[in-house]
Amino acid sequence: MTIPLVPNWSALLDKSHGLFPLGDGVAIPADWEPGPDEERRRINYDPKAIPTPFARAEATRLVLSRIAESPDHELAVRFRLMLVGVTTGVLSVQPDDLRAVDADQKSKYDNLGKALEQVDSDARYFAHVRWAGARGGARSYGITYRSSLFSPHARRAQGDWDELAAAVRTLEPTALSLLADWKAVLAGAGRWTPDRGCAWQRGIDYVLEAANTQPSPGHTRLRDDARFVGPVWLDLPTGRPDEPLVAQPVYLPAHAPEWSKRFVASCKLRPAINSVGDAELQDPGRRAGATIRLPRAGADTQVLALGAGSLELHDAVRVDAGGELWITGRAGEHGIVELLEPATAALESMDRPVQRAHVGACPMLYPDPIRILFQRGLWPESGARDARSARLTDALIRSGATLDPIAVERDGGFAMRLGSGTVQLYLLDRLAEIEVLDLRALGYVLWLVFVGEAEVASELGGQLALSNLDRLLDTKASPFEPRDWVYQRIAGSSGDLGLRTATLARLLVAYPGSEAGMSRVLAGAARSFVTWAHGSELAPLGRPPRRIATLLKLTTGDELTLAVDALET
């Protein structure tokens, strides 16, 4: 079966310009043009034709639309290799624009770019698919295209494809599992209709079904161990009968162990704009631990399609485990959220709200920094902010866990709102198997007040302090953030604190936790501290305290009455 798409072209091929440059040191192989093979029902195509890339993309689309009939077709095989190559991270995806200009402001693709865009305006934005490692050099394996996902490079020799197959073989099962997660999330968002014109989705379905690949439970592989690459300008289902498909930028997944955790850790580095206009998260020596691309473009350019918000992490920079996150700015300096405004504005203009429900429903429509910060509960939403201790943030980074009220309650912690619902407060002792000590530390603060060793100090503007004016709380991050020395005192043995069993029992009486909200949090903190101090659980016993003793005003505006032991004063 032969499908003539465009006439042959016999002129010389430029070795340095065009969509498929040959400046990678690889010569055109003698057998680069497929021959006829009617018995295997091959679709024959002369790759010297102009416009080669998009004609070959159309041939790939035709093959994918009937892939079950010809799974061993050359274009089907190369589609699969490119798909697995990208998902394993062996192949990179580099966004580009037919109207792009070089450093001298000259058109990168000359009249070819203009002609291709006139034929298909949605072809303007595409991505180069190249070997990602230094060993592969600048070898191009193809470009992306909206209807077929990939347009395989016709000039790659069979040996190049064999080398790619060998490079992805070990990671292929993991990559396909990641791809199954990605597809399942798209399907759950109503964006997967392979039988309604999405040939590239039909191709992915066939690859996953042939390998009998299932998504991971809860799609954890996609959430924790994937980086999003691209984006790729793809036909996506809309669910509207009048316009079933719309070309939009979509991010592809690539295997990257603990990518989300590594990015959140890098958020402790100070954000800055580098010399080319990208955002960098820099260590004190101004070395970049992460780079967030922020391309500059004219009014007619879709900056998201050009990679706005795409993330690179650099292993050479070490991150201080005790640092604070730079999610939002402070002291007149911008945070990550502020620097991402070009990307968030582009998303909003495409009707992709930067809100928890929308990002959670279809994260592959959002670049990595936004996607990860929402999934980790770190993105500040309007009208509310999260408050958690530095130790809880560190535990989240180490465990790779997400933070939400259900997970907090499951791990024995508390989630509550303060200040007319504007602050969501989280307090935990453990996150999975990782020590946090928030509740125990707060319980120690309650104990010091209870036995009269600490009180509200007028000299410190109404802050809790010991008699030597050593403050107990540091409320910059959280209304209930004990200072470091408090955590240090309750991190080891309780033997040197001189604790009394009867007084500990009365502390439990002072904070019974019979009411919802703050009362339950204080009761949980008291119980955590008493259990640690006594070495086991202890029953409440004894006389109720004098509850009028200490009134603490929190930074949220809430007032808190703390108890003082009636027998100790």
Side-chain angles (χ1 to χ4, degrees), residues 108-317:
K108 216 170 148 183
Y109 299 115
D110 302 321
N111 290 331
L112 172 62
K114 295 178 182 178
L116 293 176
E117 191 183 356
Q118 287 175 1
V119 171
D120 182 359
S121 60
D122 281 331
R124 173 178 176 179
Y125 301 111
F126 64 97
H128 298 279
V129 183
R130 297 189 174 112
W131 193 287
R135 179 167 167 261
R139 272 184 294 174
S140 170
Y141 277 80
I143 61 172
T144 61
Y145 189 69
R146 61 185 178 82
S147 62
S148 59
L149 180 53
F150 298 118
S151 178
H153 199 324
R155 301 183 194 127
R156 290 272 67 86
Q158 185 57 46
D160 294 316
W161 295 103
D162 292 342
E163 186 178 1
L164 176 60
V168 303
R169 189 168 294 124
T170 302
L171 279 175
E172 187 170 322
T174 299
L176 291 180
S177 176
L178 171 61
L179 190 65
D181 280 6
W182 183 81
K183 175 226 164 163
V185 174
L186 270 175
R191 299 282 190 145
W192 199 266
T193 58
D195 296 328
R196 298 180 185 176
C198 269
W200 65 269
Q201 293 186 352
R202 185 184 290 273
I204 290 178
D205 270 348
Y206 189 86
V207 170
L208 294 175
E209 290 166 7
N212 193 26
T213 305
Q214 302 299 319
S216 64
H219 310 136
T220 53
R221 194 182 297 278
L222 180 68
R223 185 193 68 203
D224 298 333
D225 298 323
R227 62 175 301 191
F228 279 6
V229 296
V232 174
W233 201 263
L234 279 178
D235 283 342
L236 271 186
T238 65
R240 301 190 302 268
D242 59 323
E243 192 179 23
L245 297 176
V246 171
Q248 292 184 340
V250 184
Y251 295 88
L252 300 179
H255 178 60
E258 298 190 334
W259 183 259
S260 294
K261 186 188 300 185
R262 291 172 58 204
F263 170 63
V264 174
S266 73
C267 291
K268 294 184 176 183
L269 301 173
R270 186 188 300 270
I273 298 295
N274 65 16
S275 58
V276 297
D278 292 336
E280 285 185 349
L281 307 183
Q282 300 175 343
D283 69 2
R286 300 187 67 83
R287 295 174 301 174
T291 302
I292 301 173
R293 191 180 177 203
L294 298 173
R296 299 295 184 264
D300 63 339
T301 302
Q302 172 53 256
V303 294
L304 198 67
L306 297 181
S310 61
L311 173 68
E312 290 289 338
L313 297 179
H314 313 297
D315 293 327
V317 173

Side-chain angles (χ1 to χ4, degrees), residues 430-446:
R430 301 179 71 88
L431 184 66
E433 298 301 316
I434 297 176
E435 291 282 353
V436 178
L437 302 184
D438 284 350
L439 286 168
R440 187 191 299 177
L442 178 58
Y444 183 44
V445 171
L446 299 180

